Amino acid sequence: MTSRTWFMTVATVAFLSAGAASLLTLGVVLPKHAAAVPVVVAPTSEPVTAPEPAPVIAVAQTGKVARVVPTENDQVQLSFAPIVKTVAPAVVNVYATTVTQETTSPFANDPFFQRFFGGNSPLFRSRPRTSQSLGSGVIIDKSGLILTNSHVVHGATDIRVTLADGHEYPVEIVLDDNKTDLAALRITDKTAHDLPTVEFSDSDQLEVGDLVLAIGNPFGVGQTVTSGIVSALARTGVEVSDYSFFIQTDAAINPGNSGGALVDMQGRLVGINSAIFSSSSTGGSIGIGFAIPVDMAILVANAAEAGKSEVIHPWFGAHLQELDADLARNLKLDVPRGALVTDLAEGGPAAESGLKTGDVIVDIDGQQVDDPKAFDFRLATKEVGGTARLTVVRNGARLSIDLPLKPSSADNPDLRTTITANTVFGGITAQEFTPALAEEYNLAYDTKGVVVVEIANGSRAASVGFRVGDIILSLNGNDIKTKDDFARFAAQNSRSWQIVFQRDGKVNRAYIGG
């Protein structure tokens, strides 16, 4: 899959890979070592001169301030250079190439032409199609482990990085976590060692108004640094990953900064630049950029350093609802903040902990929970094992509950089936619903049926247009409730198919030739 790039109208999110927009911030800072600029004030009736030596500050009766030319370098040298010199060497440019197969005929997906001419006809021969994406990354380990965005490298067949000093190295994907939109890469060249790294900070210590720097490779012109402030924290309405909980910063946004570093005034990493709002069809900046907090990046980094190929997130086992003012009053809350428990999975961690429907979660391990997205993010940053302490409001009273941090059973190979028969479903791998899988799709815990979890490249199912995430409900009038139902009916020979499936929350009917 190529790098995701979204250009939209006002209040629309654009990814920061090539063809989208980057995250750069703007601002000014006065370093601690900089001296004050001497100024002198005189009555308005007399000419203003600069006495020697000039006082640091002199206040005249008029209250007006007159300024003089600075006499020392420290009086004018307000610079981010010391921070940049420390951090910039650890920020890399990422070049990802993806090769996919593209058919040469416009009739390649038409079942009639496939049946008449045969799948091996020259009409249906495919040719490679190459696409490239541009992004940035951050070296977090001297051995060459790099963090970047998943949407920069997902599906790439060749990835290379260029360091600030000009060295170029090939890399491999160690971990690609689409849910967090983060990926870990590792330099494969054994000559690369003792590389510059960036130190992690604690994104929970950030405050609105803090100064930050963004470093990346906009438009592929080379490494660029911009400055700005933290405009907002815990932004949850930005649907660019499963865990939307972003640092917002004012930014001059340009393509190529995805995966780059957002650092504080101590030169520590506080976020991974990822997305923007844009009112321009070209993805231009309107000063609203978003970065994934470093707390989530640390989870991905730890998993990659431990040699894991995926991040295991804790399973909650309950559906949550956002509060409004009326609900808050009915639940005896002062303000509409928190996550309301509306449904529990039987045997899930939430039910095991003692949570009940109607409970409002307002805190997890000392961190305030404003809405369900905030809770999802906080829970996702926890390591599996142990417990998390929840503060809930039940019937107006506050109480503490220990939630066991257990892995999700959403991916269960024993409940999967792959269609190998020469039918329109050939190449589909589907999984039967479990409560954990239903939670991922925001469905009722007792949902029956199968969901498409994988489609083989070049398969008939891919050419027909099935997508990962499609929920198969019925085939030729036969309800699909289990993986065995799907395996049996999807393998049958049929001249035509009537398919009922759910996609993006909508139920669809399709008629396809066999």
Side-chain angles (χ1 to χ4, degrees), residues 78-102:
L78 310 179
S79 174
F80 294 126
I83 301 171
V84 175
K85 287 178 181 179
T86 300
V87 178
V91 180
V92 301
N93 303 335
V94 179
Y95 303 92
T97 301
T98 303
V99 179
T100 56
Q101 295 297 317
E102 183 180 68

Side-chain angles (χ1 to χ4, degrees), residues 10 31 49 70 87 96 150 162 180 212 238 291 294 368 447 454 461 487 512:
V10 175
T49 59
V87 178
S150 172
T162 302
T180 60
V212 287
V238 187
V294 74
Q368 180 176 293
T447 296
E454 187 177 338
I512 302 175

Side-chain angles (χ1 to χ4, degrees), residues 194-366:
D194 198 27
L195 296 169
T197 62
V198 64
E199 178 185 351
F200 287 119
S201 181
D202 180 359
S203 50
D204 283 333
Q205 300 304 312
L206 278 179
E207 296 184 10
V208 175
D210 281 351
L211 288 156
V212 287
L213 300 181
I215 308 176
N217 180 25
F219 291 112
V221 299
Q223 193 175 85
T224 301
V225 181
T226 53
S227 65
I229 65 168
V230 174
S231 305
L233 296 168
R235 286 300 195 210
T236 59
V238 187
E239 302 298 333
V240 298
S241 70
D242 287 9
Y243 305 112
S244 296
F245 193 83
F246 290 88
I247 300 166
Q248 181 182 328
T249 179
D250 59 337
I253 305 300
N254 293 292
N257 274 92
S258 270
L262 189 71
V263 300
D264 61 16
M265 291 299 99
Q266 285 72 49
R268 301 172 302 179
L269 187 71
V270 296
I272 300 294
N273 301 325
S274 295
I276 66 166
F277 274 112
S278 179
S279 61
S280 168
S281 61
T282 60
S285 170
I286 57 172
I288 305 176
F290 301 98
I292 299 170
V294 74
D295 290 356
M296 181 64 82
I298 290 173
L299 184 73
V300 175
N302 288 341
E305 289 182 331
K308 298 178 181 178
S309 60
E310 62 178 340
V311 180
I312 305 299
H313 300 286
W315 177 39
F316 182 44
H319 287 142
L320 300 174
Q321 178 181 329
E322 192 169 352
L323 296 172
D324 58 22
D326 291 335
L327 272 175
R329 282 193 296 270
N330 292 335
L331 294 168
K332 302 177 182 179
L333 294 172
D334 295 332
V335 292
R337 289 180 179 173
L340 173 64
V341 178
T342 59
D343 191 18
L344 293 165
E346 184 177 352
E352 182 182 334
S353 72
L355 277 171
K356 298 180 180 180
T357 56
D359 287 348
V360 179
I361 302 171
V362 295
D363 182 284
I364 176 171
D365 283 341

Side-chain angles (χ1 to χ4, degrees), residues 129-145:
R129 178 178 180 270
T130 301
S131 59
Q132 295 181 323
S133 63
L134 171 69
S136 304
V138 185
I139 303 174
I140 59 172
D141 185 89
K142 289 183 178 297
S143 65
L145 191 65

